[in-house]
Amino acid sequence: MAEREKVRITHLKKMKEQGQKITMLTAYDYPTARLEDEAGIDIMLVGDSLGMVVLGYEDTVPVTMEDMIHHTKAVARGTERALVVGDMPFMSFQVSVEDTMKNAGRLLKEGMAQAVKLEGGEEVLPQTRALVKAGIPVMGHLGLTPQSVNQLGGFKVQGKEVAEAKKLIDDARLLEEAGIFSLVLECIPAPLAREITSELKVPTIGIGAGPDCDGQVLVVHDMLGMYQRFVPRFVRRYGEIGESMKEAFQRYMEDVRNGKFPAESESFSMDEETIKKLFS
Ligand code: KIV
């Protein structure tokens, strides 16, 4: 694949075959999308995590289709190379196949995404098959599925017991058979993620799932230190942008309070003649 060539789902499968790691980050707005795209990220996920890190909800449950379309559009406008994946929010795909088709269609037609992501295993097979048949690429998501936080009893590691781990392996196989092009594995033990990764032909993208997945994803606000309410153990900080922002806000406030901002070079002048006419 040429350096600035648009990333397609076919490239991702080849990357897995060639042992080339896939990079993915979340993005929710135009400037972040531009920066990630210029940096060369492979996949940009407009995750429903935006409910927590951008909109300030406790979890992802309240996120709506309108929220997702609004943010996906902004990300798509800032992206040339990366594959843009739009997350299907809670209750946009659980009710019926018909609803799923309409909502996923909106993410592609209005949001300008190139693929959608759905949380869940066996229970989302009919929706997954129908979307793939209609030409909508689907990314699966197993393990800790945040939309089910109320059922899972919190944000906890999944698949630690034998039965749970076997169910995750079965679900991964079934989703692959249903036609997903990639699978997110969230917060599961590293040996289980390694096993699923070696069983599947489609690439796995891990988050809190160890180093052996075919790619990795992080929530951009977590890796930049912009969301401080809760930092999962699997997050690595690649920046302290939250602290830099706070410091910049404080320096600005100090300058305003001390009359140091704006300076003459940041103000507009008026010629003397006009001033005389106006004020004398
Ligand atoms: O919503 C999201 O950001 C996600 C990632 C954590 C994979 O689903």
Side-chain angles (χ1 to χ4, degrees), residues 24 26 28 45 47-49 87 117 141 184 186 207 217 219:
M24 172 160 134
T26 65
Y28 315 102
L45 170 68
D48 63 352
S49 49
D87 219 354
K117 177 168 82 59
H141 185 158
V184 169
E186 179 164 355
I207 175 162
V217 57
V219 168

Side-chain angles (χ1 to χ4, degrees), residues 111-179:
M112 308 301 284
Q114 286 103 44
V116 298
K117 177 168 82 59
L118 252 69
E119 290 184 10
E122 202 181 352
E123 68 283 7
V124 299
L125 291 177
Q127 293 91 319
T128 304
R129 286 192 200 102
L131 291 173
V132 173
K133 200 168 163 200
I136 299 180
V138 177
M139 176 178 267
H141 185 158
L142 289 175
L144 172 57
T145 45
Q147 290 173 16
S148 311
V149 62
N150 293 313
Q151 200 168 34
L152 299 175
F155 296 102
K156 294 183 193 155
V157 181
Q158 302 294 306
K160 288 190 91 154
E161 307 301 328
V162 173
E164 237 183 41
K166 279 189 172 162
K167 165 94 173 103
L168 285 172
I169 297 172
D170 287 347
D171 278 349
R173 284 194 196 117
L174 290 168
L175 285 170
E176 180 168 72
E177 276 166 30

Side-chain angles (χ1 to χ4, degrees), residues 31-270:
T32 312
R34 289 281 317 233
L35 294 169
E36 288 183 15
D37 203 53
E38 281 166 19
I41 204 82
D42 298 315
I43 308 176
M44 247 180 256
L45 170 68
V46 190
D48 63 352
S49 49
L50 73 86
M52 297 171 76
V53 300
V54 176
L55 303 178
Y57 296 127
E58 288 280 309
D59 54 44
T60 60
V61 170
V63 176
T64 64
M65 271 308 295
E66 303 312 319
D67 292 332
M68 290 311 304
I69 289 168
H70 179 74
H71 287 272
T72 306
K73 264 185 191 170
V75 167
R77 283 195 290 267
T79 309
E80 286 172 18
R81 178 184 174 272
L83 182 85
V84 176
V85 180
D87 219 354
M88 295 283 284
F90 185 54
M91 281 299 137
S92 69
F93 62 92
Q94 287 90 343
V95 178
S96 67
V97 170
E98 201 183 330
D99 257 18
T100 310
M101 299 288 282
K102 280 190 195 144
N103 287 325
R106 289 191 68 197
L107 273 181
L108 266 68
K109 285 167 77 84
E110 297 172 50
M112 308 301 284
Q114 286 103 44
V116 298
K117 177 168 82 59
L118 252 69
E119 290 184 10
E122 202 181 352
E123 68 283 7
V124 299
L125 291 177
Q127 293 91 319
T128 304
R129 286 192 200 102
L131 291 173
V132 173
K133 200 168 163 200
I136 299 180
V138 177
M139 176 178 267
H141 185 158
L142 289 175
L144 172 57
T145 45
Q147 290 173 16
S148 311
V149 62
N150 293 313
Q151 200 168 34
L152 299 175
F155 296 102
K156 294 183 193 155
V157 181
Q158 302 294 306
K160 288 190 91 154
E161 307 301 328
V162 173
E164 237 183 41
K166 279 189 172 162
K167 165 94 173 103
L168 285 172
I169 297 172
D170 287 347
D171 278 349
R173 284 194 196 117
L174 290 168
L175 285 170
E176 180 168 72
E177 276 166 30
I180 57 165
F181 71 91
S182 175
L183 177 64
V184 169
L185 295 173
E186 179 164 355
C187 227
I188 64 169
L192 176 59
R194 188 193 316 134
E195 174 60 26
I196 294 175
T197 301
S198 75
E199 286 225 6
L200 298 193
K201 291 203 172 59
V202 297
T204 59
I205 312 285
I207 175 162
D212 298 312
C213 294
D214 299 303
Q216 296 290 328
V217 57
L218 281 176
V219 168
V220 69
H221 286 60
D222 287 342
M223 61 94 77
L224 291 180
M226 287 176 71
Y227 182 74
Q228 286 149 356
R229 230 200 229 171
F230 167 69
V231 184
R233 180 179 139 188
F234 55 74
V235 170
R236 186 179 294 178
R237 285 273 180 88
Y238 286 88
E240 293 298 340
I241 307 299
E243 282 308 312
S244 299
M245 284 171 80
K246 245 194 268 175
E247 206 186 291
F249 299 151
Q250 283 162 349
R251 280 197 291 118
Y252 163 73
M253 285 154 57
E254 209 178 292
D255 283 353
V256 170
R257 285 174 183 152
N258 296 333
K260 287 188 179 161
F261 177 81
E264 212 180 307
S265 60
E266 290 149 339
S267 309
F268 300 99
S269 60
M270 205 179 213

